[in-house]
Amino acid sequence: MPLHMFILNANQPNRIIQSLRALSHQFSANPSFAMTGSRSDHTKGAKSPPPDDTVTQQGASPSSPASSSIAPPPPPDPAPKKRNAFLELMSPKHKSPKTAVIPADPHSHAAAKLKKGSYRGALLEYIQHPDRFPASQVLRTTPNTVLIRDAFPKATVHLLLLPRSPAHYEQHPHEALSDPAFLATIRAEAETAARLAAAELARQLSPFSASSKARNDALATGTVPYDDLPAGRDYLPEIRIGVHAHPSMAHLHVHILSRDMHSDRLKHRKHYNSFNTPFFVPLADYPLAEDDERRDSAFQNANLGRDLVCWACGKGFGNKFAELKRHLDDEFELWKKR
């Protein structure tokens, strides 16, 4: 009699005992007898039951969905590893990267705030709020542009002209300067800025210039009317105006600088070559033709790695920047005395 046929009843103890005895006798006679089947289930040639015995609930058939397998007890949890305070202190901490949310409108206040947080966006504050800076930094402000001193000058005089048009100041120079009306505005503003740069260069260097000696002597007497002063050295041709083919800053800016490349901020080959190879595109050359090689990124990247050549005498220095730097000091002394 299968085990599932037994229903416990406190009022029938004798029947329970008799049934258990019969079951014990059957098991002794056939050790392979399974608790979940009758003798007819274990005829000759039948396979042995699986290792895990199946126990049915009271009143349920062996194939009832209520049947369940008795799983072996889970293994004990391993002992926790001892913590090493020193290793935990010295191990690198992995921080989840912060993802910047780019505003839908690139000219919005949120976009401006985002870009101000990085070096590439440092010019935006000058464009939007030039009044927040001293006159020593912001030299001229118009509705169209802001003229500032470059914070990292690569020459004796180095200014930046910043367009204020939101429709253009986030564009690449090649794109922005292809707009005829915008280009005309920037050219006019750049000419004025160049005259200011030339006046500053004259202020600093004319006392050393042989071309300006007669003018300087007349000024020293204080008796010659200004309109009658001898002409001094013209510094305007020494001023260069242009943009980088691949700007390092996020907002459009035009470089206005003296040609001498004499500055402590000139620190490596890329600095020098960015102003003394076709990587520096004169403003007068715009708009560029569509097939102009200066639009090609591979061409311009190669320009930054070119061998160093002195802007004044054409002497080559290969990749020896320190030697070029010393040579530029000598060239500067000759140049300022002209």
Side-chain angles (χ1 to χ4, degrees):
M1 179 181 298
L3 180 61
H4 69 271
M5 298 298 292
F6 299 123
I7 302 178
L8 298 180
N9 190 326
N11 297 325
Q12 297 175 334
N14 293 333
R15 291 182 60 187
I16 294 173
I17 294 173
Q18 292 175 0
S19 299
L20 290 175
R21 285 176 178 175
L23 181 61
S24 176
H25 175 73
Q26 292 174 356
F27 186 80
S28 299
N30 187 359
S32 63
F33 183 87
M35 295 181 66
T36 58
S38 63
R39 285 183 181 273
S40 60
D41 296 330
H42 297 274
T43 58
K44 186 177 181 179
K47 295 183 179 180
S48 301
D52 293 336
D53 292 336
T54 302
V55 180
T56 58
Q57 296 180 352
Q58 296 178 7
S61 65
S63 59
S64 169
S67 302
S68 61
S69 298
I70 299 178
D77 294 334
K81 295 181 180 179
K82 292 184 178 180
R83 299 178 62 182
N84 188 318
F86 177 77
L87 291 179
E88 290 185 10
L89 178 64
M90 299 302 294
S91 62
K93 303 298 186 293
H94 300 285
K95 297 182 179 180
S96 300
K98 296 182 179 179
T99 302
V101 179
I102 305 299
D105 179 5
H107 309 305
S108 65
H109 175 72
K113 184 176 181 181
L114 175 65
K115 291 184 178 179
K116 287 174 189 173
S118 67
Y119 169 77
R120 279 182 53 80
L123 297 179
L124 189 59
E125 187 73 8
Y126 291 96
I127 295 171
Q128 295 181 332
H129 305 288
D131 55 299
R132 295 179 180 177
F133 298 90
S136 59
Q137 288 178 269
V138 175
L139 306 180
R140 185 170 183 262
T141 302
T142 74
N144 298 315
T145 62
V146 177
L147 182 66
I148 68 172
R149 295 183 187 273
D150 194 307
F152 303 95
K154 304 303 187 294
T156 300
V157 176
H158 191 173
L159 311 179
L160 296 179
L161 184 67
L162 312 178
R164 305 185 75 180
S165 167
H168 297 91
Y169 64 51
E170 288 189 336
Q171 292 181 337
H172 189 280
H174 298 341
E175 181 181 1
L177 297 174
S178 66
D179 181 336
F182 177 72
L183 177 60
T185 298
I186 297 305
R187 278 180 174 168
E189 298 272 358
E191 289 174 4
T192 300
R195 289 194 293 271
L196 292 175
E200 173 61 16
L201 195 62
R203 185 189 69 82
Q204 293 189 40
L205 300 185
S206 63
F208 309 97
S209 171
S211 301
S212 297
K213 186 177 186 309
R215 182 182 179 84
N216 292 336
D217 291 344
L219 284 170
T221 64
T223 59
V224 180
Y226 184 84
D227 292 340
D228 296 335
L229 288 172
R233 179 177 176 180
D234 183 7
Y235 285 93
L236 189 59
E238 309 292 352
I239 303 300
R240 306 173 67 206
I241 307 171
V243 299
H244 282 148
H246 296 295
S248 60
M249 306 297 285
H251 297 89
L252 181 62
H253 55 285
V254 179
H255 293 273
I256 299 170
L257 74 165
S258 53
R259 66 170 64 253
D260 54 280
M261 305 304 296
H262 186 257
S263 171
D264 292 338
R265 296 290 189 172
L266 189 73
K267 295 183 178 295
H268 51 71
R269 175 162 57 175
K270 287 185 178 181
H271 279 168
Y272 183 82
N273 279 344
S274 69
F275 289 99
N276 293 278
T277 68
F279 191 90
F280 185 79
V281 184
L283 186 64
D285 290 359
Y286 281 96
L288 297 183
E290 290 299 324
D291 60 349
D292 194 308
E293 66 178 348
R294 289 173 291 182
R295 290 180 177 271
D296 183 68
S297 297
F299 171 74
Q300 293 295 12
N301 289 335
N303 281 327
L304 292 178
R306 280 170 56 169
D307 287 348
L308 298 164
V309 178
C310 174
W311 67 269
C313 68
K315 182 179 179 181
F317 290 86
N319 61 356
K320 298 176 181 178
F321 180 75
E323 288 188 19
L324 171 67
K325 210 50 170 89
R326 290 191 291 271
H327 178 78
L328 290 177
D329 290 342
D330 296 337
E331 289 286 4
F332 177 72
E333 292 300 318
L334 296 174
W335 178 72
K336 75 178 184 180
K337 292 177 182 178
R338 292 179 188 172

